[in-house]
């Protein structure tokens, strides 16, 4: 899979670890930055990640910041993105199955590396269930549906 990953300064170490983990799993990974722990603004990286996913350059995105909250809000400003903030694997699975999430967000200050990897595995293994969830997901990008 083609996966884009981005963070702010608080999550740059977790981003590096997850990038390497995804590469080891055989995925093509686009690291959208930042490259250092110098202070940056999470909306800039959230918007960049959302654009790459919305344009189809990447199939999925991984958004990281200190809590995961700010960057998930930024990603969700793009109507083509459905970013789910998760902290354990079951919510990551449900994000794919029920919400057809195409971006996963996590907080580096709240989620350890092993748990983040488990969430990522569950997210990428999940499949959208469709059915009753389909019309609901359509409304997320098209409120008039």
């Amino acid at each position: 899979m083609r996966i884009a990953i981005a963070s702010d300064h608080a999550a740059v170490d977790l981003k590096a670890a997850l990038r390497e983990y995804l590469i080891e799993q055989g995925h093509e990974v686009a690291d959208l930055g930042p490259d250092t722990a110098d202070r940056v603004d999470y909306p800039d990286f959230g918007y960049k990640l959302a654009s790459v996913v919305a344009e189809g350059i990447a199939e999925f995105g991984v958004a990281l910041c200190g809590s995961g909250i700010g960057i998930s809000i930024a990603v969700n400003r793009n109507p083509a993105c459905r970013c789910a903030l998760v902290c354990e694997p079951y919510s990551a699975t449900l994000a794919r199955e029920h919400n057809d999430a195409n971006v996963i967000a996590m907080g580096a200050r709240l989620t350890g590396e092993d748990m983040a990897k488990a969430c990522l595995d569950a997210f990428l293994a999940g499949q959208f269930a469709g059915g009753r969830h389909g019309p609901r997901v359509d409304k997320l990008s098209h409120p008039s549906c």
Side-chain angles (χ1 to χ4, degrees):
M1 290 182 217
R2 290 183 325 272
I3 301 168
I5 189 167
S7 72
D8 71 354
H9 55 280
V12 73
D13 290 339
L14 181 60
K15 179 178 64 78
L18 294 180
R19 179 190 62 229
E20 294 309 311
Y21 181 69
L22 289 166
I23 291 168
E24 289 170 7
Q25 301 295 312
H27 300 292
E28 182 182 329
V29 179
D31 185 339
L32 305 178
D35 297 325
T36 70
D38 295 341
R39 188 188 154 291
V40 297
D41 296 330
Y42 60 80
D44 297 335
F45 291 90
Y47 296 152
K48 184 188 290 189
L49 178 65
S51 178
V52 167
V53 173
E55 293 173 17
I57 297 167
E59 297 168 72
F60 295 104
V62 180
L64 307 165
C65 68
S67 67
I69 297 168
I71 201 163
S72 68
I73 292 170
V75 171
N76 279 320
R77 298 285 176 155
N78 187 313
C81 292
R82 292 169 304 283
C83 181
L85 174 59
V86 305
C87 59
E88 41 67 38
Y90 187 58
S91 60
T93 297
L94 290 177
R96 290 286 304 126
E97 289 179 1
H98 292 193
N99 308 112
D100 199 19
N102 51 9
V103 181
I104 184 175
M106 293 179 279
R109 293 180 179 141
L110 306 173
T111 306
E113 184 178 324
D114 290 339
M115 182 59 73
K117 289 176 181 177
C119 290
L120 195 50
D121 288 342
F123 180 79
L124 295 174
Q127 296 290 322
F128 182 49
R132 72 182 201 271
H133 304 291
R136 296 170 183 159
V137 170
D138 287 344
K139 287 181 179 183
L140 294 173
S141 296
H142 306 96
S144 62
C145 289

